[in-house]
Amino acid sequence: MEACHTGFRLSTVTGDQQYVKASAKYFAVALFGGGGVVYVGRHDRPGRFVNGHTPILQGHKGSVLDFEWNPFDDSMLATASEDTTIKIWSIPEEWEPFDKNGKSKKGTDISESMVDLVGHMKKVNLLRYHPSANNVLASTSSDNTVKVWDVEAGQEMSTFEGMHDLCQDLVWDYKGDNYATSCKDKAVRFVDARAAKVSNKISQAHDGIKGVKVVYMGESGKVLTTGHSRASGREVKIWDLKNLDKPLEVSKIDTAAGVLMPLYDADTNVIYLCGKGDGNIRTCEFEDKKPYFHRLGDGFRSTTALKGVCLVPKRGLDIMKCESARLLKVTNESGIQPLSFTVPRKSDAFQTDIFPNTASSEPAHTCEEWRNGSSKGPELESLNPNKRGGAQNGGKKKLLSVGTLSASLKKADARIKYLEGRLDASGISYDKK
């Protein structure tokens, strides 16, 4: 329990979101209370939250439903709210909710966003940053649309209106040319992200009425979906994007009721199957040949029910202790628990077989380049500390948004007026043009 983050009352809103998201440095979780309260914690500073004392992030007019960290800036957070807006925030370098002993530190709340993205007509449910292009964000709403945004310009680039029911999942493919949506109508649609047109479709991914989740399996051309069968059993299906008439493989999991949330580690092809309300987390492996889906041991076993879960990016792991993955498990009783998966090794050297090159904190192309047709996968980098110079996190990048520039201009105008007043009071002439 020493490494847990505790003491807060979680938001009571429900939906298809993961309830927690992490960058290599921070994580975010929605709290109970008006105005869209979000707690932003540091991985290296666990402690007990004190309401009214521990600093928070708050700025929406409604509850926050989902959040997403910029993959190229560990301090940039996007939040989606019931108030129909998306806000982009910058977490200051000195952000420290807890001290080294885990005690709450009084600090200044974050209340001013850098950018507001306005366009959805109803509450915004899910957010997903583009995997390789800088400042490209996808969002889905209860207005049954998916919008792709240019965050820096604060404008939408495309809107997909081909769903006629609530979207349950939204994921980008490896290069970010397309995204997939799962819908309450049981269909999985594959959409050209620039043109906002359906390029392929699974008419009925699963027969059950529970939520369907989707994962692109790297560059293999395969897709994994999780859902329920007609008999209410949980199942995993593997599909070939070249032929979506029937799945390549169907694996029955169990008969529990909770929606399965698959977390995919593209570096190792390991899938963590996490069910809402479950205590256990199953570990599986994807292989691009029959039978495609393999179960790995017992995974993580617990009696504490899971409310939400996410993966911490590889750059945030303790590489030299052979930590191959870390999940953040949200529970109603025990706060947020980090679950560390390690591979035992006797050597103290960097393990190249466990840690292949991973997604870098540098974008492969700009938003404008992607919009004009550039197609690139994520830039890769080594996790070897000797090659990285000890840098673990994506550095803070300056976002020259319309909102940021407007605020700077307003501040400059106020300063100019103040200085002109001082000159007038002193009787000093100057050019007022």
Side-chain angles (χ1 to χ4, degrees), residues 15-21 128 168-169 211-215 224-228 234-236 258-264 271-278 280-282 306-311 327-330:
D16 295 297
Q17 66 272 28
Q18 293 174 232
Y19 296 98
V20 63
K21 292 283 186 66
R128 299 290 185 268
Q168 297 173 330
D169 202 7
V212 172
K213 297 297 182 182
V214 187
V215 179
L224 177 148
T225 63
T226 64
H228 282 71
R234 295 196 294 193
E235 59 187 13
V236 173
V259 172
L260 282 174
M261 295 183 289
L263 302 178
Y264 177 53
I271 304 155
Y272 300 88
L273 282 180
C274 314
K276 289 187 178 181
D278 290 7
N280 301 336
I281 296 175
R282 295 172 176 84
L306 175 150
K307 177 182 173 71
V309 67
C310 74
L311 272 171
L327 277 63
L328 296 185
K329 175 183 175 182
V330 181

Side-chain angles (χ1 to χ4, degrees), residues 67-120:
F67 9 74
E68 181 84 343
W69 293 95
N70 188 325
F72 314 116
D73 185 345
D74 291 328
S75 301
M76 189 180 295
L77 176 69
T79 55
S81 173
E82 288 182 339
D83 66 12
T84 76
T85 68
I86 301 163
K87 291 180 180 288
I88 310 297
W89 311 82
S90 180
I91 310 303
E93 291 289 346
E94 64 275 10
W95 185 255
E96 197 174 53
F98 303 132
D99 63 20
K100 293 181 179 179
N101 298 316
K103 294 183 178 179
S104 174
K105 289 183 66 175
K106 185 66 177 175
T108 304
D109 293 346
I110 302 173
S111 58
E112 290 191 15
S113 58
M114 295 191 298
V115 182
D116 289 2
L117 303 177
V118 181
H120 283 295

Side-chain angles (χ1 to χ4, degrees), residues 126-423:
L126 300 174
L127 297 175
R128 299 290 185 268
Y129 263 111
H130 194 283
S132 62
N134 200 22
N135 292 321
V136 176
L137 179 70
S139 64
T140 184
S141 161
S142 292
D143 61 14
N144 299 338
T145 67
V146 176
K147 293 184 182 292
V148 177
W149 303 85
D150 178 342
V151 172
E152 197 161 359
Q155 298 176 344
E156 61 183 79
M157 293 187 285
S158 68
T159 300
F160 172 62
E161 299 177 333
M163 296 182 297
H164 307 292
D165 214 328
L166 187 67
C167 181
Q168 297 173 330
D169 202 7
L170 171 65
V171 293
W172 291 95
D173 69 6
Y174 182 78
K175 292 184 177 180
D177 293 326
N178 305 278
Y179 56 76
T181 67
S182 64
C183 189
K184 204 172 179 180
D185 64 5
K186 302 182 182 181
V188 173
R189 295 171 176 86
F190 301 91
V191 182
D192 182 316
R194 301 177 184 88
K197 293 182 179 179
V198 175
S199 58
N200 218 333
K201 180 180 176 179
I202 303 172
S203 296
Q204 186 158 322
H206 297 269
D207 295 330
I209 61 172
K210 295 293 181 73
V212 172
K213 297 297 182 182
V214 187
V215 179
Y216 280 96
M217 309 310 291
E219 295 185 276
S220 67
K222 309 298 188 298
V223 170
L224 177 148
T225 63
T226 64
H228 282 71
S229 66
R230 193 182 301 276
S232 298
R234 295 196 294 193
E235 59 187 13
V236 173
K237 294 184 179 182
I238 304 292
W239 305 80
D240 187 342
L241 286 169
K242 295 178 181 177
N243 182 8
L244 295 173
D245 293 338
K246 62 179 182 179
L248 295 171
E249 180 69 21
V250 179
S251 182
K252 305 294 183 181
I253 304 301
D254 56 24
T255 57
V259 172
L260 282 174
M261 295 183 289
L263 302 178
Y264 177 53
D265 180 352
D267 297 342
T268 60
N269 285 323
V270 173
I271 304 155
Y272 300 88
L273 282 180
C274 314
K276 289 187 178 181
D278 290 7
N280 301 336
I281 296 175
R282 295 172 176 84
T283 52
C284 312
E285 184 180 15
F286 168 76
E287 187 178 18
D288 194 13
K289 61 181 181 181
K290 279 187 172 293
Y292 299 101
F293 190 76
H294 307 273
R295 303 194 188 195
L296 302 175
D298 293 330
F300 173 80
R301 306 186 72 84
S302 169
T303 57
T304 305
L306 175 150
K307 177 182 173 71
V309 67
C310 74
L311 272 171
V312 176
K314 285 291 179 71
R315 293 179 289 104
L317 305 185
D318 193 336
I319 301 301
M320 299 314 292
K321 288 187 178 179
C322 295
E323 185 181 29
S324 60
R326 189 189 310 156
L327 277 63
L328 296 185
K329 175 183 175 182
V330 181
T331 68
N332 287 319
E333 301 84 10
S334 308
I336 296 178
Q337 303 174 347
L339 308 178
S340 181
F341 291 78
T342 59
V343 180
R345 291 290 169 89
K346 293 181 179 180
S347 173
D348 292 331
F350 175 73
Q351 305 294 316
T352 55
D353 59 326
I354 303 174
F355 301 108
N357 288 352
T358 193
S360 167
S361 58
E362 294 298 325
H365 43 184
T366 66
C367 173
E368 189 63 25
E369 288 170 340
W370 174 81
R371 188 175 189 175
N372 291 331
S374 175
S375 177
K376 298 178 182 178
E379 290 287 315
L380 302 180
E381 66 179 5
S382 172
L383 288 168
N384 189 336
N386 294 329
K387 293 183 179 180
R388 305 188 68 219
Q392 286 295 105
N393 301 318
K396 184 183 285 290
K397 297 173 177 63
K398 193 171 184 180
L399 180 65
L400 297 176
S401 66
V402 174
T404 303
L405 293 173
S406 297
S408 298
L409 183 60
K410 188 176 181 180
K411 188 180 293 185
D413 285 341
R415 181 64 177 169
I416 290 169
K417 288 180 180 178
Y418 167 76
L419 293 173
E420 286 179 343
R422 293 289 300 270
L423 291 171

